[in-house]
Amino acid sequence: MRKCLMRIWQTEKKLIWIAALWLFAGIALSLFIGNQIHFNTTHLMKGFDYEWYQIAANNIGAGLLIAASGILLSVPAVLLTLFNGFMLGYLVMLSASHYSAAAIVAALVPHGIFEIPAILIACTIGLKPASWLIRYAHKKQTISWKKEWRTIAVLMGFMAALFIVASLVETYVSPITMGWFQ
């Protein structure tokens, strides 16, 4: 499995970096215009009461939406990834008015180290159709569909696994680590 993932990293790293660029552009955008948006923070203070499998199902569904939106020439995948980054940055900004920086980091980092790569993988899958078109249009390069579908299947499985681990950590670890700083 490790060898397979290393091969995929070598072939897909450009798309992964482009996905990361869009996610971090969303975060930066939220820092610039987030103060203009007003939001009722009472829900932020209460927290949410979801089971890990509900969080996992929601995140996997969102990841599949991002990945599948690539069929529309990757534009929705880019916009959804930008939006995810925006929401992450915006929620950190909102949380900063109620929690210390250490508490925010303690709440987000444990599950974020799994969830952010899963989001990037979803966007990478969503960017693939545009990359196929570009490769064909510029280089007249033929696409090995069998290899591409195998890569997408591995990436989808890895994305789902990362979302499941992230949801378990978000449910059982993040509340504990955040509690250390309250």
Side-chain angles (χ1 to χ4, degrees), residues 25-156:
I27 293 170
L29 184 64
S30 72
L31 299 177
F32 287 118
I33 66 170
N35 288 331
Q36 306 304 315
I37 301 169
H38 301 289
F39 180 73
N40 182 355
T41 60
T42 55
H43 300 294
L44 186 67
M45 297 304 291
K46 284 191 239 173
F48 300 99
D49 189 27
Y50 295 109
E51 295 294 330
W52 72 268
Y53 55 87
Q54 293 169 308
I55 296 169
N58 180 63
N59 289 344
I60 290 169
L64 290 173
L65 178 67
I66 293 170
S69 71
I71 196 135
L72 298 172
L73 292 180
S74 305
V75 172
V78 166
L79 294 175
L80 290 167
T81 304
L82 185 71
F83 177 74
N84 268 287
F86 183 88
M87 290 308 297
L88 174 61
Y90 185 65
L91 289 174
V92 167
M93 265 185 11
L94 281 178
S95 299
S97 63
H98 299 287
Y99 300 104
S100 69
I104 295 168
V105 168
L108 293 178
V109 168
H111 74 277
I113 61 175
F114 301 103
E115 193 166 329
I116 289 174
I119 292 168
L120 296 179
I121 290 170
C123 184
T124 298
I125 297 166
L127 290 172
K128 288 186 80 51
S131 77
W132 297 332
L133 186 64
I134 290 167
R135 282 186 354 221
Y136 182 76
H138 286 289
K139 301 175 185 174
K140 300 292 185 228
Q141 185 180 20
T142 59
I143 308 298
S144 170
W145 294 110
K146 185 177 179 181
K147 180 181 169 226
E148 290 293 335
W149 289 114
R150 198 173 320 142
T151 298
I152 289 172
V154 170
L155 286 172
M156 288 241 191

Side-chain angles (χ1 to χ4, degrees), residues 1 60 114 118 155-168:
M1 181 66 163
I60 290 169
F114 301 103
L155 286 172
M156 288 241 191
F158 193 52
M159 175 195 72
L162 285 171
F163 275 135
I164 289 168
V165 171
S167 68
L168 287 165

